[in-house]
Amino acid sequence: MRTPAKLDELDLAILTAMHEFQKAGILELSRRTKVARATVQARINRMEEAGVIASYDPQLDVTAAGFDVQAFVTLEIAQGALDTVSAELAAIPGVLEAYATTGSGDVLCRIGADSHAGLQAVLLSIDRTGSVVRSHSVIVLSTVVARRTMPLLRTLTPAGTAKAPAYRDQR
């Protein structure tokens, strides 16, 4: 397990700018945070190496792409079958995410489909896997809070003041 990165105010400002202006390059982020381009690049490199910035994949809306039926499925799996069920679920295109959990279920999945019939087909594919003992599904009616990370990151107590003089001066 990695040691959590110590983020300071400048790191949070850079992450906020990256989140708000997703197509911005290093120069634009430098302008928006009023910090030297090399400083921004070094900070981003450090956050990438620490795993804080995990990806630059575009955030895709499967509903807009025609998969407007989504559900959450809780799975009870055979004892010790987490690795097996992981591979089985990864082979089903309708499984968007899956997490090992505590509680009455062992795995929580988010699935997507283009119709209720498509949803049923994904659910049947999941139930046919050799590792799933029982499943329980709930259909998503609407999104109440979309996937987000910045509000949580903003609750961090910054590790200290930023070393970049221009950033310190603007606070």
Side-chain angles (χ1 to χ4, degrees):
M1 186 169 179
R2 290 184 191 191
T3 303
K6 301 265 191 244
L7 302 178
D8 65 17
E9 292 175 30
L10 178 55
D11 294 325
L12 293 174
I14 292 168
L15 290 170
T16 298
M18 290 175 75
H19 180 74
E20 291 173 358
F21 307 98
Q22 294 175 3
K23 292 184 177 182
I26 299 299
L27 184 58
E28 180 63 20
L29 294 172
S30 170
R31 288 182 183 140
R32 292 195 179 274
T33 57
K34 297 182 172 72
V35 177
R37 188 175 54 145
T39 301
V40 171
Q41 183 67 64
R43 293 297 185 106
I44 289 173
N45 289 347
R46 184 177 54 79
M47 288 187 282
E48 287 172 346
E49 290 169 10
V52 173
I53 298 174
S55 172
Y56 290 97
D57 291 344
Q59 189 170 346
L60 304 175
D61 182 345
V62 295
T63 302
F67 298 95
D68 56 350
V69 179
Q70 293 184 49
F72 287 95
V73 183
T74 303
L75 306 176
E76 291 178 34
I77 62 173
Q79 191 72 28
L82 188 59
D83 289 340
T84 304
V85 81
S86 175
E88 291 170 340
L89 293 174
I92 302 170
V95 176
L96 304 174
E97 302 172 72
Y99 302 92
T101 60
T102 61
S104 61
D106 301 307
V107 176
L108 177 67
C109 303
R110 182 170 70 97
I111 62 175
D114 61 351
S115 64
H116 287 99
L119 175 65
Q120 184 177 16
V122 174
L123 291 171
L124 289 171
S125 294
I126 291 171
D127 287 340
R128 280 190 208 105
T129 64
S131 305
V132 174
V133 175
R134 179 171 311 159
S135 68
H136 175 77
S137 60
V138 291
I139 295 176
V140 174
L141 298 177
S142 65
T143 301
V144 178
V145 176
R147 183 181 179 278
R148 61 195 188 139
T149 54
M150 289 310 300
L152 179 63
L153 288 179
R154 288 186 188 114
T155 66
L156 290 172
T157 303
T161 59
K163 293 181 181 178
Y167 185 75
R168 279 197 312 262
D169 295 342
Q170 69 175 323
R171 290 186 299 136

